[in-house]
Amino acid sequence: MGIDDEMGEETKGRYKFPYGDFERVHRCGVLAAEVRAGQQKYADIQNATAHLHGLLDGRQAGNR
């Protein structure tokens, strides 16, 4: 969800809030990213993950 431009492109540290495996979005990863972003005061990341969380919950409700 967040990229640190100061880290090299091929490094793990470049990606700050992973939420999937580059093929699928993992709900638990989205929740973890949302919580960590809030704890670390990244409001833009927290808002984006909260929006994604809402989209995932809406999609799950539609599948029931």
Side-chain angles (χ1 to χ4, degrees):
M1 183 63 74
I3 294 177
D4 185 348
D5 292 334
E6 295 178 6
M7 301 296 285
E9 287 189 30
E10 298 298 321
T11 63
K12 187 173 148 181
R14 182 173 176 86
Y15 305 98
K16 296 296 182 186
F17 297 93
Y19 58 88
D21 60 9
F22 298 106
E23 291 182 18
R24 297 183 199 142
V25 173
H26 296 277
R27 186 175 186 277
C28 60
V30 171
L31 295 175
E34 184 178 357
V35 169
R36 277 192 21 234
Q39 291 170 338
Q40 297 175 11
K41 309 274 191 265
Y42 288 99
D44 53 344
I45 300 291
Q46 185 180 17
N47 292 337
T49 53
H51 178 73
L52 185 54
H53 179 193
L55 292 173
L56 289 171
D57 284 353
R59 183 172 179 203
Q60 285 181 341
N63 289 336
R64 291 183 186 167

